[in-house]
Amino acid sequence: MEGRGGGAMAGRIRDEDIALVRERTAIDDVISETVTLRSAGGGNLKGLCPFHDEKSPSFNVSPARNVWYCFGCGAGGDAIKFLMDAEHLSFVEAVERLAARAGIQLRYVETETGSPRPRAPQGQRQRLVAAHAAAVEFYQAQLGTAGARPAREFLAQRGFDRAAAQRYGCGFAPDAWDLLTKHLRQQGFSHDELVTAGLSRPARSGSLIDRFRRRLLWPIRDLTGDVVGFGARKLFADDDGPKYLNTPETPIYKKSHVLYGVDQAKREIAKQGRVVVVEGYTDVMACHLAGVPTAVATCGTSFGADHIGVLRRLLLDTDDVAGEIIFTFDGDAAGQKAALRAFEEDQRFVGRTFIAVSPDSMDPCDLRLAKGDLAVRDLIARREPLVDFALRHVIDRFDLDTVDGRVEAMRRAAPLVAKIKDREKRPEYVRKLAGDLGMEIEPVQRAVLAATDGRDAASAPGRPTRAARVEPAVDSPQSMVEREALKLALQVPVLAGPMFDAVEAAAYRHPVHAVVRTAVAEAGGAAGETAAAGGAVWISSVRDACADLAAQALVGELAVEPLRIDGEPDPRYVSITMAQLQWGSVTARIRDLKSRIQRINPVANKDEYFALFGELLSLEQHARALREQAAGGL
């Protein structure tokens, strides 16, 4: 497994330490930092999968066993695997992250000598995050210096006091070429690490200089709260750089995935089922301080599909739990253009999308400064459906007093109505559009229908928008019993262990089930020491022992799939399940024996005939016993 070897590391993490990390990690706490989870019954949780686009939640988490599995895309694993997939970490980096979270001191083993050693060098992500954390402290300290007076004045003029600056980690990049670089080098960060982190850049002379200089800074944090980059605002007239300058793309900072303020807003977003998308750092601060704690902003890029994915998972944006997405844009031309781009992305949300524009065309920060906190809250309360805003914006561009103007406005507005994802609302918007244009309803209906047909054709059968998932053949009674037996071994090995281990892999007729059964044995058996640890440690051991990828995926699926019993399983339920499992294989063997006996000449092949007949009688007796044992079962 990745990270257990070494790669660039001098040694591997001791297996018992990895097991301890799995045991002490609450997987629902880890996953809920990026995915909003709701009860799925039976102690399990569910949410929208972060690894593929979906409308209904198929991402399941089992806190009792510290594992997760998505029934939509087939991904699954433990907390280590989740961090590896969600944050593109190596195995070592994920283990180190979780160990630090749980307060576990990891030990490493040299690959050649096998002797334990102290903590190895951290993975790249940890080093880059640590460098950013040190930079935040440096920049915050600089904000109190004499040279940072313009930065403090900028914040004060926008209504932010010292407490607000500290809450959001605001800092100042001093008027020096390499002060931060020297500071971080003294703390042990290398030349390459500072360049990779985007904190420093090479000068023409070949030496390193600071990325930011003479600017007010906001640390940009990811969902977990780690600082991954900075946003820098120009303060001086003689600064010939852009008004805002952000950290460049790095291994930990992807601007299309990051939303400023999401670390502070995520819990309220999940709680309220609402998110407010604003345009800048000061707007986020103003909204939060004014009593709109669900505000977030993009960082140096327009709002796009990846941002939507982040918010949908926080909102649990599904058909059953549809949230609200409220965009705030300036009332100028640029703001209106941004609002229309947002409407283009509207179909990616299940929930309702709105827009809130100040009557005075002020952004939330200016509005708070001019009219107070209540005005910001009122701005959000007065939101209007985004489709209404988009239609009005299109219609206003044409002279509706002329035939040409009305017809052209209809042609431009009809596709917007066709894009409304709630089909039941389309007829009402057709009538509204006809009234706004001063036209009869029939031509507007035809225009919308024509646009709708074009959209539907793009997603018609034969042109799927995503690959279909091939389901294994698990709907036969025998396969269902086999799955239940494997679930018992994975989920409650202490209860099921002895009875499960007593039934060999030959009893499993589904080939992938047989592979998983063999893997259970190779992992020490359901009654073994590893199984006694339970949870992610046991499930990971079985998964690692699987001989093929299909079996590995099935282990993840069965680890979170509910048992087919109301309440907690008991020894009687295990006994019934194992009896039904054996009964299916025994009856199949009986059918085979009867077929062979019918084909044998009892005179010419007397010995074989009586041997098979004796086996048949024994199996029929065994089958009757199993049937009695399984009575009243699945």
Side-chain angles (χ1 to χ4, degrees), residues 423-463:
R423 296 191 177 190
E424 294 181 358
K425 291 182 180 179
R426 290 180 191 172
E428 290 300 320
Y429 273 99
V430 167
R431 281 188 280 272
K432 182 179 186 302
L433 178 58
D436 292 342
L437 294 173
M439 298 178 65
E440 296 295 329
I441 193 171
E442 287 78 10
V444 177
Q445 283 179 325
R446 288 195 296 269
V448 171
L449 182 61
T452 303
D453 290 343
R455 288 175 52 80
D456 291 345
S459 59
R463 299 181 61 180

Side-chain angles (χ1 to χ4, degrees), residues 27 31 51 59-61 67-69 75-78 81-82 85 556 560:
I27 194 168
I31 292 178
F51 307 118
F59 182 87
N60 281 252
V61 179
V67 294
W68 59 275
Y69 183 81
D78 56 15
K81 185 65 164 59
F82 181 82
D85 292 350
V560 301

Side-chain angles (χ1 to χ4, degrees), residues 11-57:
R12 63 180 176 84
I13 304 172
R14 294 182 63 168
D15 289 342
E16 54 265 42
D17 287 355
I18 295 173
L20 186 61
V21 168
R22 288 189 170 112
E23 179 182 335
R24 292 189 181 176
T25 297
I27 194 168
D28 48 328
D29 288 345
V30 175
I31 292 178
S32 63
E33 290 183 346
T34 55
V35 178
T36 295
L37 300 173
R38 297 281 189 268
S39 174
N44 284 0
L45 304 170
K46 66 180 179 180
L48 291 175
C49 180
F51 307 118
H52 79 288
D53 188 28
E54 61 179 4
K55 297 291 186 181
S56 299

Side-chain angles (χ1 to χ4, degrees), residues 155-396:
L155 291 170
Q157 290 168 1
R158 282 155 180 77
F160 305 121
D161 57 16
R162 182 177 180 181
Q166 290 178 340
R167 173 178 171 180
Y168 293 92
C170 297
F172 178 69
D175 186 6
W177 289 106
D178 59 358
L179 201 59
L180 173 70
T181 299
K182 288 180 178 178
H183 175 74
L184 295 180
R185 289 300 301 271
Q186 289 173 357
Q187 293 197 11
F189 294 100
S190 69
H191 175 286
D192 289 343
E193 285 175 335
L194 297 183
V195 173
T196 302
L199 295 169
S200 305
R201 58 187 178 89
R204 293 181 180 178
S205 63
S207 61
L208 282 186
I209 60 175
D210 297 347
R211 167 78 55 183
F212 305 111
R213 177 170 171 261
R214 304 170 70 209
R215 285 181 175 249
L216 173 63
L217 296 176
W218 286 269
I220 300 170
R221 301 177 185 272
D222 63 13
L223 277 166
T224 67
D226 287 338
V227 178
V228 295
F230 288 93
R233 210 284 187 183
K234 180 168 68 174
L235 296 171
F236 300 94
D238 61 349
D239 185 341
D240 58 359
K243 183 177 180 180
Y244 281 94
L245 181 65
N246 284 68
T247 295
E249 294 275 312
T250 73
I252 63 172
Y253 177 74
K254 308 293 183 186
K255 61 184 180 182
S256 64
H257 292 72
V258 176
L259 288 163
Y260 178 73
V262 73
D263 58 305
Q264 295 196 36
K266 62 183 180 182
R267 296 193 184 281
E268 284 297 322
I269 291 173
K271 179 181 177 181
Q272 297 185 22
R274 171 189 294 177
V275 63
V276 177
V277 181
V278 298
E279 293 193 286
Y281 307 121
T282 57
D283 291 332
V284 170
M285 294 173 67
C287 283
H288 288 187
L289 296 173
V292 183
T294 60
V296 297
T298 58
C299 302
T301 185
S302 59
F303 188 79
D306 291 326
H307 298 125
I308 290 173
V310 173
L311 294 181
R312 287 196 65 233
R313 291 189 291 275
L314 290 177
L315 288 165
L316 192 59
D317 184 43
T318 68
D319 293 325
D320 297 328
V321 188
E324 287 188 4
I325 304 89
I326 303 170
F327 296 95
T328 66
F329 296 108
D330 293 344
D332 58 15
Q336 292 180 350
K337 185 176 181 181
L340 292 178
R341 283 200 306 269
F343 181 74
E344 290 298 317
E345 299 288 355
D346 175 71
Q347 303 307 304
R348 296 179 182 271
F349 286 108
V350 174
R352 295 165 294 169
T353 52
F354 298 87
I355 187 168
V357 178
S358 169
D360 302 315
S361 297
M362 290 189 289
D363 58 36
C365 181
D366 291 336
L367 184 62
R368 175 175 180 261
L369 192 63
K371 300 184 179 181
D373 292 348
L374 182 59
V376 177
R377 297 196 295 271
D378 285 344
L379 169 66
I380 305 305
R382 293 196 310 268
R383 64 196 180 278
E384 68 170 321
L386 187 55
V387 62
D388 289 14
F389 174 87
L391 285 172
R392 187 171 66 252
H393 174 76
V394 169
I395 292 173
D396 287 348

